[in-house]
């Protein structure tokens, strides 16, 4: 079962690894990223940042969608983390259902729109957020689980 879906360009780090893991009782983190899934060094860093109480999957988009839709994680408490919102567009188009997407940290070298100090989006991010919104997927801005979630508005 998916207990969280977050956009955070830092992927798994102290905030995600500890605060979100405890707040959502996460049993498995899933990083979905085509490039990171092929990078042994980045995967090792993610393994080190993942709490010992949690399992970790680092998968390309297509495999992540296939595994989720096949029910591979139904008995686990799955928290998905991606760098860019466009990954959630691809997962949703593949049939993965999301109750909510948590917007944590998005950064871009070419900022097209800033929503707050942690959401500085390039045009590709804005386009993906617009598409997620048009799909009817609720999004909230929430840095940590201790912060109150704020509904995201384009």
């Amino acid at each position: 079962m998916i207990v969280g879906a977050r956009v955070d360009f830092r992927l798994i780090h102290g905030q995600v690894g500890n605060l979100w893991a405890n707040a959502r009782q996460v049993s498995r983190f899933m990083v979905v990223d085509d490039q990171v899934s092929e990078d042994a060094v980045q995967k090792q860093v993610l393994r080190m940042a993942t709490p010992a109480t949690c399992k970790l999957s680092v998968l390309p988009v297509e495999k992540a969608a296939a595994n989720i839709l096949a029910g591979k994680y139904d008995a686990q408490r799955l928290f998905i983390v991606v760098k860019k919102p466009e990954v959630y567009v691809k997962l949703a188009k593949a049939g993965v259902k999301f109750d909510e997407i948590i917007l944590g940290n998005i950064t871009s070298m070419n900022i097209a729109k800033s929503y707050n100090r942690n959401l500085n989006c390039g045009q590709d991010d804005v386009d993906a957020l617009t598409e997620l919104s048009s799909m009817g997927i609720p999004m909230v801005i929430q840095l940590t689980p201790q912060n109150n979630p704020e509904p995201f508005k384009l």
Side-chain angles (χ1 to χ4, degrees):
M1 130 181 32
I2 298 172
V3 297
R6 180 176 173 83
V7 179
D8 193 322
F9 77 93
R10 301 168 299 172
L11 297 174
I12 299 175
H13 53 88
Q15 246 175 30
V16 171
N18 293 310
L19 299 178
W20 287 100
N22 290 332
R24 299 284 174 103
Q25 299 175 329
V26 174
S27 63
R28 177 179 295 275
F29 280 103
M30 177 186 285
V31 171
V32 182
D33 189 285
D34 290 341
Q35 291 177 323
V36 174
S37 69
E38 298 295 322
D39 187 321
V41 173
Q42 285 190 60
K43 289 196 292 191
Q44 184 59 35
V45 169
L46 291 167
R47 280 188 205 95
M48 291 189 301
T50 301
T53 57
C54 298
K55 295 176 182 174
L56 173 68
S57 296
V58 182
L59 302 172
V61 175
E62 195 172 307
K63 179 137 178 100
N67 285 358
I68 292 167
L69 294 172
K72 187 171 180 179
Y73 309 105
D74 287 355
Q76 299 177 49
R77 297 183 61 79
L78 180 66
F79 194 97
I80 303 170
V81 186
V82 306
K83 286 183 181 184
K84 306 284 279 172
E86 67 196 35
V87 174
Y88 285 123
V89 172
K90 293 175 184 175
L91 290 171
K93 285 182 174 180
V96 178
K97 305 287 184 221
F98 297 101
D99 293 333
E100 168 185 270
I101 293 174
I102 304 162
L103 305 177
N105 285 288
I106 300 174
T107 191
S108 176
M109 295 301 289
N110 299 307
I111 297 171
K113 186 162 185 177
S114 290
Y115 294 98
N116 70 19
R117 67 185 183 96
N118 297 309
L119 298 179
N120 298 297
C121 300
Q123 190 57 52
D124 58 334
D125 301 317
V126 174
D127 294 345
L129 294 168
T130 301
E131 191 163 358
L132 289 166
S133 181
S134 72
M135 292 175 170
I137 300 171
M139 292 176 280
V140 297
I141 299 170
Q142 189 174 16
L143 197 56
T144 71
Q146 290 74 25
N147 300 120
N148 288 327
E150 303 170 30
F152 175 74
K153 294 183 178 36
L154 290 167

